[in-house]
Amino acid sequence: MTTPHAIDVRNLHKSFGDNHVLKGIDFTIDPGQVVCVIGPSGSGKSTLLRCVNMLERPTEGKVFVEGVELTDPDVDIDAVRRRIGMVFQQFNLFPHMTALQNVMISQQRVLKRSKKEAEIIARENLDKVGVGAKCAARPAELSGGQQQRVAIARALAMNPDLMLFDEPTSALDPELVGDVLMVMRKLAEEGMTMMVVTHEMGFAREVADRVVFMDGGVIVEEGTPAQVIGDPQHERTRAFLRRVLHPEG
């Protein structure tokens, strides 16, 4: 029996009123793959990501995660979501809680872990992302990069099978981006399945197994980083990369 795709999206459409944002998307991610989704603002990248774990319900089409259809009305969506870690642009940390408490709370409430077990796992994951010394700090006492790493630790503490990242560095000051990307590189090296919506072309080029270029709600081009970023075949891809890689030109 073949292993199911980690993510399998079939003929996905999403409309908001008259705005047809996704227009028949088909794509897959296999276990252990890192796929970066790039494209201009408004191309549908983040909507696609949000449809993968049903934060947005597709208008048409099917989404499977590890062989389970999320678009099935009878699916236990919460059970499937427990396998999916999600990291947003905004960090969504509880401001009144310490970094440690922020990483513990979902483990206790959702996974029913004891306080002691949740704390051990929280400390391990805060150490893993390089903010173990900040356990007692509240979000306001942390830089944006540190807050985003706490958010990644919070997602990892739930033992997900795959991670979704929605432009995780776009809200950060440029000098803080590298620390977050380094954590993501490490996850990729450890074999974590990742779908990353990003405008960080260097990260996509170095870390992705596959790059998907979206524009106008469709996948224009996909392939290895060398193919899509290094030798794009479509003029829309070439024009986008010219703007992103050579903005002063």
Side-chain angles (χ1 to χ4, degrees), residues 184-205:
M184 293 169 65
R185 274 193 187 90
K186 192 168 147 194
L187 287 177
E189 286 165 8
E190 291 170 0
M192 176 63 78
T193 307
M194 294 160 60
M195 177 179 174
V196 185
V197 171
T198 187
H199 55 267
E200 300 289 345
M201 293 302 132
F203 176 83
R205 188 183 269 137

Side-chain angles (χ1 to χ4, degrees), residues 114-160:
S114 69
K115 184 177 179 184
K116 184 177 180 183
E117 184 185 11
E119 181 174 343
I120 290 168
I121 291 168
R123 288 184 184 278
E124 283 173 0
N125 282 288
L126 287 165
D127 281 341
K128 182 173 185 171
V129 300
V131 287
K134 299 291 185 181
C135 283
R138 286 186 165 77
E141 301 166 313
L142 301 172
S143 71
Q146 289 168 335
Q147 289 184 62
Q148 189 61 294
R149 283 185 280 161
V150 172
I152 293 171
R154 177 182 57 190
L156 291 174
M158 303 295 283
N159 299 116

Side-chain angles (χ1 to χ4, degrees), residues 3-247:
T3 306
H5 298 296
I7 297 171
D8 185 356
V9 173
R10 302 179 190 174
N11 190 35
L12 193 72
H13 291 259
K14 177 63 182 177
S15 296
F16 297 97
D18 294 333
N19 186 12
H20 196 176
V21 178
L22 298 176
K23 304 170 183 174
I25 301 287
D26 290 287
F27 90 118
T28 60
I29 299 178
D30 287 328
Q33 278 194 331
V34 177
V35 174
C36 286
V37 184
I38 64 171
S41 295
S43 60
K45 309 183 300 293
S46 291
T47 301
L48 172 60
L49 191 84
R50 292 170 69 84
C51 283
V52 166
N53 70 349
M54 295 291 119
L55 289 174
E56 297 288 355
R57 187 155 280 282
T59 308
E60 186 184 328
K62 293 183 176 182
V63 176
F64 297 84
V65 170
E66 298 181 323
V68 177
E69 186 190 341
L70 272 66
T71 35
D72 181 341
D74 297 325
V75 74
D76 182 348
I77 191 71
D78 291 331
V80 182
R81 277 201 187 122
R82 280 176 210 143
R83 307 183 203 166
I84 306 171
M86 181 94 188
V87 178
F88 300 91
Q89 293 179 35
Q90 305 303 331
F91 322 121
N92 299 331
L93 300 176
F94 292 112
H96 62 290
M97 291 184 178
T98 65
L100 185 66
Q101 290 166 334
N102 265 286
V103 181
M104 287 172 63
I105 186 167
S106 292
Q107 298 183 62
Q108 292 173 273
R109 288 195 178 168
V110 178
L111 301 181
K112 308 301 182 196
R113 285 178 179 153
S114 69
K115 184 177 179 184
K116 184 177 180 183
E117 184 185 11
E119 181 174 343
I120 290 168
I121 291 168
R123 288 184 184 278
E124 283 173 0
N125 282 288
L126 287 165
D127 281 341
K128 182 173 185 171
V129 300
V131 287
K134 299 291 185 181
C135 283
R138 286 186 165 77
E141 301 166 313
L142 301 172
S143 71
Q146 289 168 335
Q147 289 184 62
Q148 189 61 294
R149 283 185 280 161
V150 172
I152 293 171
R154 177 182 57 190
L156 291 174
M158 303 295 283
N159 299 116
D161 294 344
L162 58 127
M163 293 279 285
L164 308 179
F165 292 88
D166 187 4
E167 302 207 13
T169 59
S170 65
L172 301 180
D173 292 333
E175 66 269 22
L176 303 176
V177 167
D179 292 339
V180 172
L181 293 180
M182 191 165 64
V183 169
M184 293 169 65
R185 274 193 187 90
K186 192 168 147 194
L187 287 177
E189 286 165 8
E190 291 170 0
M192 176 63 78
T193 307
M194 294 160 60
M195 177 179 174
V196 185
V197 171
T198 187
H199 55 267
E200 300 289 345
M201 293 302 132
F203 176 83
R205 188 183 269 137
E206 292 166 34
V207 180
D209 296 297
R210 242 171 55 246
V211 174
V212 173
F213 172 66
M214 287 183 67
D215 193 14
V218 299
I219 292 175
V220 176
E221 192 163 352
E222 67 176 304
T224 65
Q227 289 167 330
V228 177
I229 299 174
D231 186 25
Q233 299 303 298
H234 291 259
E235 178 51 37
R236 282 156 87 185
T237 319
R238 289 196 289 267
F240 169 75
L241 289 168
R242 274 197 301 272
R243 284 199 306 276
V244 172
L245 299 174
H246 310 289

